Amino acid sequence: MSIQIFNTMSRQKEPFVTLEPGKVRMYVCGPTVYNYIHIGNARPVVVFDTVRRYLEYSGYQVSYVSNYTDVDDRLIRASKERGLSVPEIADQFIRAYEEDTDALNVMEATIHPRATRTMPEIIRFISQLVAKGFAYAVDGDVYFRTRKFADYGKLSHQSIDDLKSGARIEIDERKEDPLDFALWKKAKPGEINWSSPWGEGRPGWHIECSAMVEKYLGDTIDIHAGGTDLVFPHHENEIAQSEALHGQTMARYWMHNGHIQINHEKMSKSIGNVILVHDLVKKYDPQVIRFFILSVHYRHPINFSDELLTDAVQAFNRIKTAAYNLTHRLKDETVQKPDHAIEKIYRDRFAEAMDDDFNTANAEAVLFDIVRDANIALQDPDAPAGQLLAYRRVLYELSDVLGLKLNDSKAGILDKEVEALIERRQEARKAKDFKLADALRDQLSEAGIILEDTPQGVRWKRADQ
Ligand SMILES: Nc1ncnc2c1ncn2[C@@H]1O[C@H](COP(=O)(O)OP(=O)(O)OP(=O)(O)O)[C@@H](O)[C@H]1O
Ligand SMILES: [Zn+2]
């Protein structure tokens, strides 16, 4: 079977066929860099990094572009509040983004363009839209003439008239039509700005992406991706701008990840219900966070809870422990030849899961199949080394495709994870949820952690120390 991708445009899975054989051009809408990223923002980063890794594993050469939106209203507001310039704020949070995504083992993008460094291309793009009659300038602003683009609404499956009646659109006297959206915004006094044929100003958010896609990947690309909140209006507007100008399909496959929610509400900076990656990595191994994000199919929502993360600690620990035990058992072996037939079984199952619209939940289940079978073999003192070596190799290989690092120099659970589990157990006891408290004690004991309740609090040690 070939790779199948669920395309938001057609609302169905389609066989993946690239524009150019063996090559993938992929663009993922990146963060607006005015704050730390939360676990919701981390989801598209991890998911599409995994898509990229799997495409490369399958033999494609991938050009992966992900932008930084480094100027917009929120950056301007943050700059005023903190008395720093917009580029200073952007630099700070680009660094923070790099740190967080490095921790999550996200591969470096082929190119990470910044909107503010793409200004000549953005201005030229807008000028060409004006020249073609798809945009008009009013008093220093420039708007896109939405109704002139006949396919508007095709990605979000809405007609222009539905949009008009349903939309929360501010009435703006200067626009010809309420559906028109800004390509260029006139600068307010003292605001950061760039010179343009329409005066000093800055670009709208949507046009940045159209210009960066065109500059770095071309008029038609293979995959365009982001969170599902970007379908409308962001991606709809990108399509309108790019297809109006180029007269050809902007992207062949549109992929959108579901949201991470808290209490069934989207995690979002504007609501304030966020859990920052920056904070979460202090409590959990970043590999566990990545494992957790991939444990659900990317299109499904995830209702975030500490409980899910502590389950992930436990589950990921089983994989690391098996990897450690295999390495330990094989360390005196001189046999170099793995049992290829065994490797193939799991590789095929893994490919079947990932070919089916990147079903990482099923792909992780294949890792657990390996762990289960390897643990059985490890119990057998006569298990052939070639078999154990195959388990070890395929476990590492497939974990690596998911971007999961199995550091087997030290088996098991990290100190900070033990502390997170203990903290949760204390909370459970305070809430008189003794069932959960006991379950957490069992979970820790399975991971080789012994708890001792003392008048000074909980002490813990490792069984093997
Ligand atoms: N709760 C979430 N779950 C999954 N993806 C999300 C979530 N919130 C934002 N995203 C995605 O994160 C990426 C970065 O977007 P951006 O920096 O513009 O965040 P944002 O939309 O401003 O976040 P917020 O909603 O918190 O303000 C986008 O692809 C967006 O779809
Ligand atoms: Zn975009």
Side-chain angles (χ1 to χ4, degrees), residues 5 7 14-18 221-224 251-255:
I5 298 186
N7 191 345
E14 297 173 15
F16 183 51
V17 182
T18 56
I221 66 171
D222 295 298
I223 300 175
H224 196 127
R252 294 157 65 87
Y253 301 86
W254 288 88
M255 294 180 72

Side-chain angles (χ1 to χ4, degrees), residues 102-249:
D102 274 357
L104 294 170
N105 202 24
V106 172
M107 285 170 76
E108 181 75 30
T110 316
I111 306 168
H112 250 313
R114 293 168 69 148
T116 57
R117 298 187 186 161
T118 318
M119 243 4 118
E121 290 82 3
I122 293 173
I123 291 169
R124 196 228 344 106
F125 204 115
I126 301 174
S127 306
Q128 287 176 327
L129 284 173
V130 172
K132 280 190 125 179
F134 279 103
Y136 56 94
V138 195
D139 186 24
D141 290 337
V142 182
Y143 293 101
F144 187 85
R145 195 169 268 133
T146 302
R147 274 182 190 273
K148 194 171 157 78
F149 183 68
D151 282 342
Y152 195 78
K154 67 178 171 179
L155 182 69
S156 51
H157 305 96
Q158 313 173 75
S159 73
I160 285 227
D161 293 316
D162 293 345
L163 279 166
K164 195 165 178 190
S165 55
R168 295 167 287 136
I169 301 166
E170 289 164 37
I171 300 294
D172 183 337
E173 297 293 312
R174 292 168 313 161
K175 289 199 221 172
E176 290 176 5
D177 186 296
L179 286 175
D180 295 350
F181 57 90
L183 301 174
W184 187 259
K185 299 178 180 183
K186 180 179 173 174
K188 300 204 180 78
E191 242 174 39
I192 185 166
N193 65 70
W194 287 261
S195 300
S196 80
W198 318 284
E200 319 286 83
R202 65 189 161 86
W205 172 35
H206 317 301
I207 196 71
E208 292 171 13
C209 284
S210 281
M212 288 189 256
V213 168
E214 180 202 63
K215 178 171 178 189
Y216 294 104
L217 294 169
D219 294 356
T220 301
I221 66 171
D222 295 298
I223 300 175
H224 196 127
T228 180
D229 52 318
L230 300 190
V231 174
F232 184 84
H234 184 55
H235 286 163
E236 200 72 73
N237 291 355
E238 281 191 40
I239 291 172
Q241 297 160 159
S242 296
E243 298 193 359
L245 186 61
H246 301 131
Q248 48 180 296
T249 304

Side-chain angles (χ1 to χ4, degrees), residues 2-19:
S2 68
I3 296 174
Q4 307 281 313
I5 298 186
F6 183 91
N7 191 345
T8 307
M9 187 65 84
S10 64
R11 287 178 165 162
Q12 54 191 359
K13 287 183 199 168
E14 297 173 15
F16 183 51
V17 182
T18 56
L19 202 58

Side-chain angles (χ1 to χ4, degrees), residues 29-34 38-44 74 205 225-230 257-261 266-270 274:
C29 293
T32 309
V33 283
Y34 71 105
H38 55 71
I39 175 98
N41 302 140
R43 191 176 192 191
R74 294 171 295 179
W205 172 35
T228 180
D229 52 318
L230 300 190
N257 65 272
H259 284 149
I260 292 193
Q261 308 170 327
K266 180 190 178 227
M267 187 184 290
S268 149
K269 281 170 274 203
S270 53
V274 296

Side-chain angles (χ1 to χ4, degrees), residues 10 25 66 98 107 115 133 143 159 164 171 192 238 267 275 282 298 317 320 344 361 365 372 393 428 439:
S10 64
R25 286 171 228 190
S66 184
E98 286 169 350
M107 285 170 76
Y143 293 101
S159 73
K164 195 165 178 190
I171 300 294
I192 185 166
E238 281 191 40
M267 187 184 290
I275 293 175
K282 293 180 192 147
Y298 75 88
N317 195 45
K320 283 198 297 187
K344 185 171 182 318
R372 185 198 55 220
R393 275 172 37 119

